[in-house]
Amino acid sequence: GLYSYDGYRLREFRQQEGHPRTLGDNYVRALLARADGSLWVATQAAGISIYRPESDDFEALRHDPGNPDAPSSNGSIALAQQADGVVWIGYGGTGLDRYDPASKRFEHFRKPQLAHDTVRALLVDRRGDLWLGGGDGLQRRRAGSAAFERIASEAGVADGLAGQYVYALFEAGDGRIWIGTQA
C-alpha cells in the first residue's frame, strides 16, 4: 500500500473494493510529487492513482484499449516530470508514455523508437533531457528532440550497457548520471 508520515504517525492508504476514489492497487511501484500538491502513484496493475490533498482522495488514469488518449497499460513502473509539467510513464512491457496534463493527452512510444518495450527507470536531468533505462540499456531524448539515442548501449561494445536491465537513474550535484543495473 501507500503510507504518509507526518513526523508523528503513519497514515495508510489502501485499495478498497467498490470505492473508485481510493488507491487503485496496493502494489506501488513509483511515486511522483507534483508542484500542484498532487502525488502520482504508479501501481502494478491498476494504472496511475493521483492523490488530491484538497479532496483527500484519488483519481485514476487507467488503460482503455479503445481510447488512444489513455495510458498504454495498467502496469506502470517509473515516473518522471519535465519542468513544463509533462509526465513520462514507463511500463513493464508496453514502452513509454508522455502525458500532457494541460491537454489530457497521451503520446505512446514503443520499439523501434525505443530499444526495448520495458522501461524500468526514468530521469529528467537539469538540462531537460529525458533518460530512460530499460531492458536493453540506456537511452536519452534530448530536450527539443523527438529521437531517442542509445547511450553506451550499442550491441557488441565491450563494457557497455547493451542487453542489461537498467533499474535506477540518478543525477548527482555535479551533473553526473549514475546508472543502476540488474547485473
Side-chain angles (χ1 to χ4, degrees):
L2 179 68
Y3 294 85
S4 70
Y5 181 65
D6 65 7
Y8 299 99
R9 60 188 157 87
L10 288 173
R11 180 176 176 203
E12 180 181 50
F13 295 90
R14 300 197 58 82
Q15 176 189 25
Q16 297 175 24
E17 290 294 328
H19 298 280
R21 305 291 297 177
T22 63
L23 183 64
D25 182 1
N26 292 328
Y27 194 149
V28 174
R29 300 296 302 252
L31 300 173
L32 174 66
R34 297 195 19 109
D36 66 2
S38 66
L39 178 68
W40 286 43
V41 183
T43 70
Q44 176 74 20
I48 305 291
S49 292
I50 303 171
Y51 176 72
R52 306 279 185 204
E54 63 277 1
S55 56
D56 194 33
D57 63 6
F58 292 85
E59 172 189 345
L61 287 177
R62 292 209 172 109
H63 175 66
D64 176 356
N67 182 358
D69 289 324
S72 293
S73 170
N74 283 330
S76 48
I77 293 177
L79 298 168
Q81 177 179 253
Q82 293 177 187
D84 64 1
V86 165
V87 176
W88 292 91
I89 306 166
Y91 300 99
T94 56
L96 176 71
D97 281 352
R98 178 187 181 277
Y99 178 70
D100 182 352
S103 67
K104 298 191 183 304
R105 297 187 65 111
F106 283 85
E107 184 178 2
H108 310 291
F109 302 91
R110 310 272 172 288
K111 284 178 76 172
Q113 288 174 294
L114 303 179
H116 200 277
D117 281 335
T118 297
V119 177
R120 299 261 180 213
L122 294 169
L123 169 72
V124 176
D125 70 16
R126 63 183 75 186
R127 291 183 308 266
D129 294 347
L130 173 69
W131 295 79
L132 63 114
D136 192 10
L138 181 66
Q139 288 185 274
R140 175 178 56 198
R141 181 180 179 182
R142 292 185 186 272
S145 173
F148 292 89
E149 61 182 307
R150 287 176 162 277
I151 304 296
S153 299
E154 294 78 17
V157 175
D159 298 326
L161 296 169
Q164 292 197 46
Y165 272 87
V166 172
Y167 277 82
L169 296 167
F170 176 76
E171 183 179 17
D174 63 0
R176 189 175 301 183
I177 305 293
W178 288 87
I179 304 149
T181 69
Q182 181 175 355

